Amino acid sequence: MCAIIGICGKINDQDLAWLVTACNKLRHRGPDAKGKWIGPKHNIALGHRRLSIIDTSNFSDQPFVSDDGKLILVFNGEIYNYIEIREKLKDLGVKFKTNGDTEVLLAAYKYWGEDCLKYLNGMWAFAIYDERRGSGNEKLFVARDRSGEKPFYYRAKLGFFEFASELKGLRSRGEIDLNALNHYLALGYVPRDLCIFNDIKKLPPAHAGIFDFKKGEFKKWRYWQLPISN
């Protein structure tokens, strides 16, 4: 278990201070290492708390930056078939510096883009900042595993997007969403994208999304669903 935290939009000193606070609040999810990355345009800040399991060296610490510096990943989870994916990518000419699934995940996105989700088998919640299209066309690609084993909470409004592995990693007004509360009392859980706080949502299982920095909008979609049995 690890923790991911991110703030997108116009980042100020208060946001950066909160990123440090959020990382400290989520230390229990990743006591082995911590890191942060701040975009040079101050339009994004990413944080991570690591529980080292695969490739315990610091070469796999996060936020994980691609060799060209245009892709930055924060990732919570485990890609079970990362060895097979790595071998497939190596056959396509991709070179690797670590022995972990973090680098494989970022390389898979770099090569296949959003279609990388088709190749992944495992449990994950991740965010990848992508500035390959140049200044003014940056995007943040996020995704959650098919069964929703790894959590992903977010708060979005026009021009702003904030996410974390737990509610305590997000700033909230703390106002209860009565619809979510009613579902919890009736079902014993909060379904779909609802959250107990009315200004926070969950990324549903088997969903991905993109925050477009130019438009300031977040859009999500379902990338997988159970096949229909005959």
Side-chain angles (χ1 to χ4, degrees):
M1 162 169 86
C2 297
I4 60 176
I5 306 104
I7 305 170
C8 306
K10 188 175 182 181
I11 307 299
N12 55 37
D13 290 341
Q14 187 177 12
D15 295 321
L16 296 179
W18 172 254
L19 185 73
V20 174
T21 298
C23 283
N24 290 335
K25 285 187 174 185
L26 299 182
R27 183 184 184 279
H28 60 283
R29 298 185 64 92
D32 297 327
K34 65 178 179 179
K36 65 179 179 180
W37 181 87
I38 302 167
K41 294 172 61 177
H42 274 234
N43 61 345
I44 183 170
L46 300 173
H48 189 264
R49 297 290 322 206
R50 184 183 182 196
L51 177 64
S52 303
I53 297 177
I54 298 177
D55 187 8
T56 58
S57 74
N58 58 9
F59 295 111
S60 288
D61 285 352
Q62 300 179 44
F64 194 90
V65 182
S66 63
D67 287 342
D68 60 7
K70 296 184 180 298
L71 298 172
I72 297 88
L73 164 70
V74 285
F75 162 50
N76 169 33
E78 182 178 344
I79 307 302
Y80 300 148
N81 62 332
Y82 78 96
I83 294 177
E84 291 87 345
I85 296 174
R86 182 173 62 187
E87 291 306 311
K88 183 186 293 288
L89 288 168
K90 286 172 68 176
D91 290 341
L92 295 170
V94 179
K95 299 184 183 299
F96 292 90
K97 295 181 179 180
T98 74
N99 296 314
D101 55 350
T102 300
E103 185 181 19
V104 171
L105 173 56
L106 190 59
Y109 173 79
K110 185 175 183 179
Y111 196 90
W112 291 305
E114 296 155 23
D115 285 341
C116 68
L117 296 171
K118 298 177 181 178
Y119 296 87
L120 304 181
N121 177 18
M123 51 180 182
W124 66 80
F126 68 76
I128 299 175
Y129 176 63
D130 185 345
E131 58 178 19
R132 292 177 297 176
R133 296 182 299 174
S135 180
N137 294 298
E138 302 90 346
K139 67 179 181 179
L140 185 79
F141 175 58
V142 304
R144 192 176 178 200
D145 62 79
R146 296 175 181 88
S147 62
E149 184 170 350
K150 292 301 179 182
F152 191 102
Y153 295 92
Y154 69 90
R155 187 166 64 95
K157 59 183 181 181
L158 186 62
F160 182 85
F161 184 76
E162 183 177 274
F163 66 88
S165 295
E166 294 186 16
L167 288 174
K168 67 178 65 176
L170 291 173
R171 292 168 288 189
S172 172
R173 296 191 302 269
E175 298 175 358
I176 299 296
D177 184 322
L178 295 180
N179 184 30
L181 179 61
N182 286 337
H183 277 88
Y184 177 76
L185 294 175
L187 304 173
Y189 68 96
V190 180
R192 303 187 302 276
D193 66 342
L194 296 174
C195 180
I196 199 65
F197 294 140
N198 64 9
D199 56 342
I200 295 177
K201 298 291 185 182
K202 300 193 303 285
L203 185 66
H207 276 66
I210 286 179
F211 178 73
D212 186 312
F213 283 75
K214 186 174 184 178
K215 296 180 180 179
E217 297 176 347
F218 177 69
K219 294 183 178 180
K220 65 179 185 295
W221 68 90
R222 176 185 285 274
Y223 67 83
W224 179 88
Q225 60 184 6
L226 283 170
I228 299 174
S229 59
N230 296 324

